[in-house]
Amino acid sequence: MRFLIMACVASLLLACDNSSDGNKNTVSEPASSTTLTDIPAAQWQQQADESFTAAAAAWQQALTRFEQSPNADNLAALRDALAQWYQRFASQYLLLASRACQQEGAANRQAILARLDSWPLYPGYLDALPEWPESGLISDPYLELTRQNLRRQHGATDPAEASLGFAALSVAVNGTSDNPKALAAFTGEDGPPARRRQYLKLAGEQLVADHQQLSLKRPLNELALQCGLMETLAHWQQLSDPASEQEEGLLIPALSTSVTESALLDGVQSMDPAVIARWDQANPGIASSIKQSEEKGWNPIKAWLTTVSITRQMPDAGKSRSN
């Protein structure tokens, strides 16, 4: 449902870009969408992209060291590099979601954003569990491990069948709280350990490729930022959605929980002040709601979202959290 709402918002954005005075048969648009305001964000976007790239490079370096010397210290460093990279991604979620809303082919861009961080998930779909030691894509000798095949397997029959994204990569590196990954899971010249190391490389490369697909080198606008803020809030709200783990076998990885609980809102609060100021000129009240969120959490932002035209048209948008 959440994906459908974001797709509707994105189509609204494209309608604004392509509208003409002579078109009288289109669906009526919100009042604020008839004239969109360019919100320059070059510095914010450049710094975010460079930060993500640096964290990706640190992960790759840690993976190379681990492949060369697969010991406990290098495994710990690899896990730390993933946590730092994941944190960097989550802190940029508002920007990435806003870009996905504004770009042409927005529905596909939003699917890419969802693939970057898909949870809850079935850990046994990707990797072996003690009760099913030969389960999972990584253990399947008949599946050639390539980025293309991993993309095909991602969400093949259910959104929780995650083969890619930070949460899936976290499962492969860390295991689960009940079944943490031991060093032996990565050592060996063939079989599942070798395939697991290959998966780490491919999944990391796909994260970089997906992030590049969400690159945008032009100003944002207030409707894209509203859409991105709705998506960021909805992603955070999944943590408290009882449906997220009510089905047997579903999991929100511990790293996903620890990162998402704080980094999504931190990223909103730390966005470029110049962008906030320009956004507030177009949509009064957003700056004060972000400031108030430093003490009151998401509540002021949720309240503000109910006042803008995009959410007045979709009153249940903030409540819809399923992928």
Side-chain angles (χ1 to χ4, degrees), residues 73-84:
D73 287 343
N74 283 340
L75 179 56
L78 182 66
R79 288 169 171 163
D80 183 64
L82 175 59
Q84 295 297 321

Side-chain angles (χ1 to χ4, degrees), residues 211-230:
H211 185 271
Q212 290 174 344
Q213 289 292 311
L214 297 177
S215 178
L216 186 69
K217 302 300 183 184
R218 59 188 176 91
L220 299 170
N221 60 58
E222 70 271 29
L223 202 55
L225 287 167
Q226 289 174 35
C227 173
L229 186 59
M230 288 170 58

Side-chain angles (χ1 to χ4, degrees), residues 259-283:
V259 165
T260 306
E261 277 183 330
S262 59
L264 293 177
L265 183 56
D266 289 346
V268 175
Q269 294 167 346
S270 62
M271 65 185 295
D272 189 335
V275 175
I276 295 179
R278 190 72 181 92
W279 187 7
D280 194 70
Q281 291 176 358
N283 289 141

Side-chain angles (χ1 to χ4, degrees), residues 17 89 100 161 254 261 291 307 315:
D17 288 340
F89 160 78
E161 294 175 347
E261 277 183 330
K291 181 64 177 177
T307 70

Side-chain angles (χ1 to χ4, degrees), residues 40-71:
Q43 183 175 355
W44 183 35
Q45 297 193 65
Q46 181 179 350
Q47 290 176 346
D49 290 343
E50 290 175 352
S51 177
F52 184 92
T53 300
W59 154 264
Q60 182 57 56
Q61 291 167 5
L63 180 58
T64 300
R65 287 193 297 269
F66 180 65
E67 290 173 332
Q68 294 171 346
S69 300
N71 55 49

Side-chain angles (χ1 to χ4, degrees), residues 36-274:
L36 296 179
T37 303
D38 276 352
I39 299 178
Q43 183 175 355
W44 183 35
Q45 297 193 65
Q46 181 179 350
Q47 290 176 346
D49 290 343
E50 290 175 352
S51 177
F52 184 92
T53 300
W59 154 264
Q60 182 57 56
Q61 291 167 5
L63 180 58
T64 300
R65 287 193 297 269
F66 180 65
E67 290 173 332
Q68 294 171 346
S69 300
N71 55 49
D73 287 343
N74 283 340
L75 179 56
L78 182 66
R79 288 169 171 163
D80 183 64
L82 175 59
Q84 295 297 321
W85 191 14
Y86 201 169
Q87 182 86 18
R88 204 69 54 84
F89 160 78
S91 69
Q92 299 173 9
Y93 200 90
L94 170 61
L95 174 59
L96 295 172
S98 299
R99 285 170 163 178
C101 288
Q102 186 164 325
Q103 287 175 304
E104 292 184 12
N108 180 56
R109 305 298 180 185
Q110 287 152 13
I112 291 173
L113 177 63
R115 187 168 67 202
L116 277 162
D117 194 25
S118 295
W119 49 263
L121 51 74
Y122 294 118
Y125 177 74
L126 175 65
D127 209 350
L129 296 174
E131 56 268 39
W132 297 294
E134 297 181 357
S135 69
L137 302 176
I138 289 175
S139 299
D140 183 357
Y142 299 103
L143 176 69
E144 181 184 5
L145 283 180
T146 65
R147 281 169 50 187
Q148 183 180 40
N149 280 342
L150 289 172
R151 289 195 301 270
R152 287 173 176 167
Q153 295 297 325
H154 185 81
T157 62
D158 188 288
E161 294 175 347
S163 58
L164 291 167
F166 280 101
L169 186 54
S170 172
V171 168
V173 172
N174 299 312
T176 67
S177 299
D178 294 334
N179 301 291
K181 271 295 187 283
L183 177 62
F186 303 95
T187 57
E189 296 302 318
D190 51 21
R195 286 175 61 85
R196 192 167 288 112
R197 294 194 304 272
Q198 184 183 8
Y199 170 81
L200 300 184
K201 178 178 182 294
L202 294 170
E205 290 174 352
Q206 190 62 50
L207 285 172
V208 172
D210 283 346
H211 185 271
Q212 290 174 344
Q213 289 292 311
L214 297 177
S215 178
L216 186 69
K217 302 300 183 184
R218 59 188 176 91
L220 299 170
N221 60 58
E222 70 271 29
L223 202 55
L225 287 167
Q226 289 174 35
C227 173
L229 186 59
M230 288 170 58
E231 171 68 9
T232 305
L233 172 61
H235 196 53
W236 174 81
Q237 284 179 312
Q238 282 185 282
L239 288 176
S240 58
D241 185 352
S244 290
E245 289 194 87
Q246 68 181 9
E247 185 177 336
E248 184 178 0
L250 277 180
L251 172 76
I252 301 177
L255 183 57
S256 299
T257 299
S258 63
V259 165
T260 306
E261 277 183 330
S262 59
L264 293 177
L265 183 56
D266 289 346
V268 175
Q269 294 167 346
S270 62
M271 65 185 295
D272 189 335

Side-chain angles (χ1 to χ4, degrees), residues 222-223 225-227 229-230 233 279-290 292 298-312:
E222 70 271 29
L223 202 55
L225 287 167
Q226 289 174 35
C227 173
L229 186 59
M230 288 170 58
L233 172 61
W279 187 7
D280 194 70
Q281 291 176 358
N283 289 141
I286 182 58
S288 61
S289 71
I290 291 175
Q292 291 168 19
W298 281 100
N299 285 336
I301 293 174
K302 285 193 271 188
W304 178 81
L305 279 170
T306 66
T307 70
V308 291
S309 58
I310 190 172
T311 41
R312 283 205 301 269

